[in-house]
Amino acid sequence: MHPAFSVIFFTTASGAGYGLLFLLGVLAVTGQLPSHNPAFAWGSMLLSLGLISAGLLSSTFHLGHPERAWRAVTQWKSSWLAREGVAALFTYVPAVVFAWGWLFEQRTDGVYAVAAGLAAAGAVVTVFCTGSIYNSLKTIHQWHNAWTMPNYLLLGLYTGSLLMAAVAVLTGLQPGQGYSVYLLGVLLLAWAAKAVYWHFIATTHHPATIESATGLKHLGKVSVLEPPHSSENYLLKEMGFQIARKHADKLRKISTLSLFVTPLLLVIASIYAPMPVSGMALVLAALFAALGVVVERWLFFAEARHVVTLYYGASEV
Amino acid sequence: MTMLPQKTGKKLGLVIDLDICVGCQACAVNCKEWNTGGHMAPLTDQDPYGPAPDGVWFNRVHSYEARGGCGSQTVHFPRSCLHCQDAACVTVCPTGASFKREEDGIVLVNEDKCIGCKLCSWACPYGAREFDEVEGVMKKCTLCVDRIYNEKLDPEDRVPACVSTCPAGARHFGDLGDPDSDVSRLVAERGGMDLMAEMGYRPTNKYLPPRPRKRDAADVGAASNQLNPVQDQSSAFLKWVDKVLSR
C-alpha cells in the first residue's frame, strides 16, 4: 500500500499524543500527578493535545476534499473511520476539562478526576478505532490479523510514555527509577508485539490467489498474459506499492534499532546513571523512538499487500 | 447511509461469459465513453496522449493464461464492480457517500458527499473503485443507472453500455435475485461463479467459466477410422507422399 506521509504522521503523532493523554489521565485518577509543577503540567498537556490535534489535522491533508471532512463522523454505525472521528472529538471534551482543572486550578480531584478518567478512556478508544480501520480490511492480510491492534495500542502507549519522561526531565522533574522500570516493561511488550507481527507477516499470506481471484483454478495455473492497460493506474499506484525485500529488511533493522534497541539501552542507563545523565538518556530515548516509530509506520503501509494486485499478477499477497 | 440494506428488491448485475469474451476492450471503451458524460461524469484523464496516460475507468479487461494438464488456454477477463451484497466499500465509508440501493442493489457513490479518503478502494478486493485525482472523489461503475431506467432510450438500449456494445455477446444484464430471469438461468446452466468467494462479499455479478475444451478430433465426433495415421494406409502412393513430407 502506498505510504501517505500525512497518514503516517497522523497515526504516529496522535498515537503518542493519546498514549501520553492516557498516562496523564491514569496518573490524575490515581492521584500521582505532580500538581506543584506548572511547567510539567503545561508541557505535557500541550504536547499531548498538540500531537493529537496536529495528527488529526494532518489526516485531512490526504483527502480529496478536506473541506468536507466534517462529514466523516456521520457514519459511525458502520465505519471505523467515522468511529475514530467521533471518538477523537468526544475525547476532546473531558481532555479539555481535565486540562483546565490541572493547568488553571491546579486540581485533579473531583470532577476533574472524572474528566481525566474519561480522557484516558477516550484515548484508548480512539487508538482502538484507528487500529480497527486497518485491522478490519479483509483485503490486506498484513493488517487483517490479531497483531495489528496490539501494535497500535502498545506503540501509542510506549511512545507516549517516553514523551512523558522527556517532558518531566525537561521541566526539572526526576521521573524516578520506578518509572524507568515501567518504561522497560512497556518497551519490551511493544517490541515483542512488533516482532511477533513481523514474524507473522513473513510466514503467512492471504488465502486468495490469482486462481481464486479469476475463478479459473480448474483450468490450472493462471498467469498474466497481457495487462489491461499500458501504464500505471490508480490501483497500481495506491495498492500496488512495492518495496524491495532487501530495503524492507534494512528498514526493519533501522526501525528496531531506533524504536527499541537504542531506547532500551538508554532507559537502562537512566536507571543506573546519576542526574542529569539519566534525564538526558530519557530525552534521547524519546527522540530515537519518535524516529523509529515513523519508520515502523512507513513499513506498516509499504509492506501491506492488497488482494487486487493478484489481478495484476502478484504471486501471493 | 452506509449500513447495507438487509434485502434488496432486485439484484441487478452482470453475467460475464469468459468462454465468449475475446478481449476486444469494446466494453471498457464504451463504458468510458458513456460514463464520462453520465452519472459519475467526468471520468478524467491525466496525460492522455503522453507517455504515461492515466485516468478513471470503470472496466478493465485483463488477459490471462491458464496452464493445466491439457495445455494452456487464454482467458480474457473483464473486471468491474460486482455490486456485492456484502459490500465492504459501503460500510467503511465514513461520510455516507457510498451506498447500496435498497430497490435494486446497485452500489453508488454520492460525489457531493465523498471526501476522497480512498478507504472504500482499500476495502474492495476487486479493484472496482478508481480515485479521480482531478475531481478529488472516488468513482465507480454505476451499472449505467442512467441508462437502464432511461425512458428516453429505446427499450433494447436500456442496458449498461458495456453490455450493449459487446460484439461477442459475452455480457448479460438482469436481475440475479429472480431465479427465473434469463441471467439467473444462464448462471444455473453454466455454473456461474463468484470471484474470491472465500472472502465472503457475496458479489452479485457472476462469471461463467470457459467451457471444457474440445482438444482432440474425437471430441468433435470424428470417427476413429478417420483418425488413423497416414502410414497405416495400404496405398503405396500415400506411403510415398508420407515419406516425402516427413523429410
Side-chain angles (χ1 to χ4, degrees):
Chain A
M1 299 295 290
H2 172 71
F5 182 74
S6 64
V7 178
I8 292 169
F9 177 76
F10 160 60
T11 56
T12 53
S14 73
Y18 282 121
L20 178 53
L21 181 64
F22 169 77
L23 264 187
L24 292 173
V26 170
L27 291 178
V29 169
T30 53
Q32 298 182 68
L33 269 188
S35 53
H36 55 280
N37 187 325
F40 174 72
W42 278 95
S44 57
M45 203 41 114
L46 281 184
L47 184 63
S48 165
L49 295 181
L51 282 173
I52 293 169
S53 307
L56 287 171
L57 203 64
S58 127
S59 74
T60 65
F61 290 165
H62 81 291
L63 298 179
H65 282 276
E67 79 284 2
R68 299 178 186 165
W70 62 271
R71 289 187 183 275
V73 294
T74 58
Q75 303 303 310
W76 51 269
K77 277 188 185 171
S78 73
S79 165
W80 280 108
L81 180 50
R83 286 172 198 159
E84 179 197 46
V86 171
L89 291 182
F90 270 119
T91 304
Y92 272 111
V93 178
V96 167
V97 174
F98 168 34
W100 179 272
W102 192 26
L103 302 182
F104 295 107
E105 303 192 18
Q106 285 76 47
R107 282 181 52 198
T108 52
D109 57 344
V111 65
Y112 298 118
V114 174
L118 287 174
V124 178
V125 171
T126 308
V127 177
F128 181 85
C129 290
T130 306
S132 292
I133 293 172
Y134 303 102
N135 192 29
S136 66
L137 293 173
K138 284 193 286 179
T139 46
I140 300 163
H141 175 71
Q142 290 76 20
W143 295 352
H144 185 64
N145 61 65
W147 303 105
T148 296
M149 186 59 73
N151 268 281
Y152 267 85
L153 290 171
L154 285 171
L155 284 174
L157 179 63
Y158 163 52
T159 49
S161 302
L162 275 178
L163 284 182
M164 181 144 102
V167 175
V169 168
L170 293 173
T171 54
L173 289 172
Q174 205 168 350
Q177 286 192 353
Y179 193 77
S180 290
V181 171
Y182 154 76
L183 275 178
L184 277 185
V186 73
L187 182 155
L188 291 174
L189 265 181
W191 189 355
K194 195 72 228 184
V196 174
Y197 170 87
W198 276 332
H199 177 74
F200 176 83
I201 67 166
T203 51
T204 58
H205 55 82
H206 201 285
T209 59
I210 188 170
E211 285 82 21
S212 73
T214 55
L216 300 174
K217 189 168 196 270
H218 61 288
L219 296 182
K221 186 92 196 98
V222 177
S223 57
V224 169
L225 180 67
E226 216 176 25
H229 35 90
S230 54
S231 56
E232 280 204 314
N233 66 345
Y234 165 73
L235 296 174
L236 289 173
K237 288 173 186 164
E238 181 79 4
M239 259 70 90
F241 184 91
Q242 276 187 329
I243 169 169
R245 184 64 182 268
K246 60 175 183 177
H247 295 315
D249 287 346
K250 212 172 263 177
L251 284 165
R252 275 192 198 181
K253 280 182 190 136
I254 291 172
S255 173
T256 307
L257 213 59
S258 181
L259 182 55
F260 301 121
V261 178
T262 313
L264 176 75
L265 298 176
L266 288 166
V267 171
I268 292 175
S270 79
I271 297 176
Y272 294 105
M275 278 299 267
V277 176
S278 68
M280 289 328 292
L282 290 176
V283 175
L284 265 180
L287 289 175
F288 271 103
L291 174 73
V293 81
V294 170
V295 179
E296 178 275 336
R297 206 54 49 88
W298 190 89
L299 275 174
F300 178 75
F301 284 91
E303 291 192 291
R305 301 194 298 263
H306 195 284
V307 288
V308 76
T309 57
L310 291 171
Y311 287 107
Y312 288 91
S315 54
E316 65 178 33
V317 291
Chain B
M1 196 59 212
T2 55
M3 298 297 283
L4 291 167
Q6 290 288 319
K7 199 176 172 301
T8 57
K10 288 182 175 178
K11 290 178 191 164
L12 294 187
L14 301 173
V15 172
I16 295 168
D17 194 337
L18 297 180
D19 192 61
I20 293 179
C21 177
V22 294
C24 70
Q25 308 274 344
C27 55
V29 173
N30 201 35
C31 166
K32 175 90 170 173
E33 194 279 335
W34 173 267
N35 282 294
T36 201
H39 180 81
M40 296 237 66
L43 268 53
T44 63
D45 290 311
Q46 291 136 60
D47 197 22
Y49 305 105
D54 184 7
V56 182
W57 293 65
F58 295 164
N59 194 1
R60 304 278 190 179
V61 184
H62 298 251
S63 295
Y64 297 107
E65 184 171 57
R67 223 172 287 130
C70 50
S72 70
Q73 183 168 354
T74 299
V75 180
H76 301 291
F77 186 93
R79 177 177 58 78
S80 59
C81 176
L82 307 177
H83 298 277
C84 298
Q85 293 169 68
D86 285 332
C89 57
V90 171
T91 52
V92 300
C93 175
T95 69
S98 278
F99 61 103
K100 185 171 175 68
R101 305 207 322 171
E102 206 163 348
E103 61 269 41
D104 53 18
I106 298 179
V107 176
L108 290 176
V109 176
N110 179 342
E111 285 177 82
D112 296 332
K113 282 188 178 175
C114 176
I115 58 173
C117 72
K118 303 177 180 170
L119 189 55
C120 54
S121 67
W122 295 4
C124 172
Y126 307 110
R129 291 175 171 237
E130 298 198 7
F131 187 68
D132 188 327
E133 300 284 352
V134 180
E135 301 260 297
V137 295
M138 193 57 73
K139 304 225 164 155
K140 70 173 294 298
C141 161
T142 66
L143 206 63
C144 284
V145 71
D146 43 8
R147 284 178 70 100
I148 58 177
Y149 296 113
N150 192 337
E151 292 180 1
K152 301 271 191 265
L153 297 177
D154 295 332
E156 61 270 28
D157 286 331
R158 291 178 207 161
V159 293
C162 57
V163 174
S164 78
T165 202
C166 179
R171 304 178 71 98
H172 307 268
F173 165 71
D175 180 7
L176 287 142
D178 171 7
D180 294 325
S181 68
D182 289 347
V183 280
S184 293
R185 284 195 186 139
L186 201 51
V187 169
E189 277 166 28
R190 293 276 308 282
M193 61 197 179
D194 288 347
L195 302 184
M196 284 191 269
E198 72 274 19
M199 291 197 68
Y201 296 112
R202 296 196 297 146
T204 300
N205 286 12
K206 304 286 183 239
Y207 283 75
L208 306 180
R211 291 180 173 90
R213 294 179 74 187
K214 294 179 170 44
R215 298 184 61 250
D216 298 322
D219 288 342
V220 291
S224 59
N225 63 351
Q226 292 173 305
L227 298 173
N228 287 336
V230 169
Q231 59 263 40
D232 286 352
Q233 302 281 335
S234 53
S235 154
F237 173 71
L238 284 177
K239 275 184 184 162
W240 175 79
V241 169
D242 180 40
K243 202 175 161 192
V244 170
L245 292 179
S246 302
R247 269 180 199 157

